[in-house]
Amino acid sequence: MVDLDALRHNYSVLQSLAPSARCAAVVKADAYGLDAGRVTGALREAGCTLFFVATPEEGASVRQLLGPSPSIYVLNGFQPGLSEMFARSDLIPVIGSLDSLNAFGEEGGGVYALHVDTGMNRLGLTVEEARSLALPRGGELRLVMSHLACSDVPAHPMNAHQLERFRTVLEHFPGIPASLANTGGVLLGPDYHFDIIRPGVGLYGVNPSATRSEPFRPVFHVDAPILQIRRVAAGETVGYGARFTAAGQRTIAIAGFGYADGLFRAASQTGSARIGEIAVPFAGMVSMDLTALDVTGHEDLARKAGRVQFYGADLGAAADAAGTIGYELLVRLGARLKREYLGR
Ligand SMILES: *Cc1c(COP(=O)(O)O)cnc(C)c1O
């Protein structure tokens, strides 16, 4: 279930946290698995006109969804031979190396953004390259950006370090709009906001930091049917590998949600789902299409509900149980899950 009203709420929260900046939306990976079509439509209604995707293919499909006017930036940059694709869909490459900048110029140039690396060592020109760059003719530089490595940890010294380096880069690009902050960066405060903020995960209701409470509303949860409820006697086991042994008589609910749907098998030992406010722990290994839950003491509730909720407000704990982060839970949600949308 995807709540588009909550998505738009989160967009306006992010925009109000950075009132002097424009709030873009990162919609790569099919809007973090929530469907780029529904998500971009809702965000556009909320006033968003700037979108970031990872690849030119994603850019082309977002362009089809949005029509001609919004700006679409491609974070993975420009590779030789792509000029026609960028031009056809009116995409703006975020160029992250001198080679790529040269190739872009040789293929005719156009509007582009520059990515400068300030400490992540992933994509981007070095600070020195950026500061000695002679801007190519035939190109129109629309944005200078960098990306924070540790914005989910507010006290991490990398944040201030990257901010300082980004500022030295910007001295070389007076008058060009600048962007540094992802969701975590927005929450670091106004020093990090510059002209454009680039949140992704916060829009989708995911808290980037385990140590802070954040103002985002949950946007999605998985509502799985309870297919069967059974009694398991003391000493019996549940599921593959017989990894769960009933210490006494237990009541087990079998939910129709498994690793084919994106549930992490790695969460088998410590994961839980919820029926209303009640947490019900996994019993044994998550299997492809099913997960057994220990609902002992809550059988009536389970029967009445008929369904069980995964993720939602306890997404952070669910990610911990799987040894990962909310981002990954989100983008791994399987194609088989029927996405239902609330609001518009
Ligand atoms: C994915 C991404 C973002 C969005 O990050 P969130 O942590 O999801 O807000 C912003 N900028 C870049 C360069 C990214 O790759």
Side-chain angles (χ1 to χ4, degrees):
M1 175 69 73
V2 181
D3 182 346
L4 297 173
D5 293 334
L7 172 78
R8 283 196 310 239
H9 169 83
N10 293 338
Y11 179 82
S12 52
V13 164
L14 284 154
Q15 178 65 85
S16 65
L17 285 168
S20 61
R22 290 173 71 192
C23 186
V26 179
V27 295
K28 61 195 180 190
D30 201 23
Y32 291 38
L34 297 183
D35 187 322
R38 306 301 290 250
V39 164
T40 55
L43 289 173
R44 204 171 175 190
E45 265 188 42
C48 185
T49 59
L50 302 171
F51 295 87
F52 285 83
V53 295
T55 68
E57 289 78 9
E58 290 177 352
S61 85
V62 169
R63 174 61 71 205
Q64 286 225 306
L65 293 164
L66 288 176
S69 55
S71 300
I72 302 173
Y73 290 87
V74 177
L75 289 166
N76 284 5
F78 185 84
Q79 309 297 327
L82 289 181
S83 57
E84 199 189 310
M85 180 159 196
F86 274 88
R88 198 184 323 124
S89 297
D90 189 17
L91 306 176
I92 304 175
V94 179
I95 292 180
S97 74
L98 292 178
D99 284 349
S100 172
L101 187 60
N102 288 334
F104 182 67
E106 278 164 20
E107 294 189 28
V111 176
Y112 68 104
L114 268 188
H115 190 157
V116 182
D117 178 68
T118 52
M120 181 95 153
N121 276 307
R122 200 174 60 168
L123 297 176
L125 277 72
T126 66
V127 170
E128 296 69 32
E129 284 170 341
R131 283 181 60 88
S132 54
L133 190 69
L135 291 183
R137 273 178 295 174
E140 187 200 325
L141 179 56
R142 186 68 65 81
L143 175 71
V144 176
M145 59 163 267
S146 189
H147 191 44
L148 296 166
C150 305
S151 65
D152 55 326
V153 183
H156 201 295
M158 269 300 268
N159 294 318
H161 174 67
Q162 288 193 264
L163 176 62
E164 188 193 307
R165 301 193 77 188
F166 191 54
R167 284 187 170 139
T168 70
V169 168
L170 294 182
E171 287 165 8
H172 189 65
F173 299 97
I176 306 291
S179 175
L180 179 62
N182 62 341
T183 303
V186 175
L187 298 165
L188 291 176
D191 282 353
Y192 290 81
H193 295 165
F194 296 95
D195 302 298
I196 292 174
I197 55 171
R198 307 188 308 273
V201 85
L203 293 169
Y204 311 117
V206 177
N207 189 339
S209 160
T211 59
R212 288 179 301 201
S213 65
E214 267 129 42
F216 309 121
R217 230 186 248 169
V219 169
F220 77 101
H221 65 262
V222 173
D223 227 359
I226 294 175
L227 303 172
Q228 190 170 358
I229 293 178
R230 59 194 308 128
R231 298 276 168 77
V232 175
E236 286 192 65
T237 64
V238 175
Y240 285 121
R243 297 280 283 275
F244 175 90
T245 304
Q249 180 174 288
R250 310 303 293 176
T251 308
I252 302 295
I254 308 299
F257 180 49
Y259 62 77
D261 304 299
L263 183 58
F264 277 65
R265 196 168 169 277
S268 298
Q269 302 306 322
T270 52
S272 63
R274 279 187 316 152
I275 304 174
E277 297 302 306
I278 308 288
V280 289
F282 295 2
M285 299 306 287
V286 169
S287 50
M288 189 181 291
D289 320 295
L290 302 167
T291 298
L293 303 166
D294 186 345
V295 298
T296 307
H298 309 294
E299 183 173 346
D300 289 347
L301 182 71
R303 284 194 190 281
K304 194 149 156 257
R307 310 189 72 75
V308 44
Q309 202 182 99
F310 292 80
Y311 306 155
D314 61 349
L315 185 86
D320 282 349
T324 184
I325 52 179
Y327 294 75
E328 193 180 7
L329 294 190
L330 197 52
V331 301
R332 298 281 179 117
L333 289 173
R336 185 170 69 183
L337 281 177
K338 189 160 133 239
R339 271 108 169 128
E340 286 176 13
Y341 293 84
L342 204 74
R344 51 185 202 99

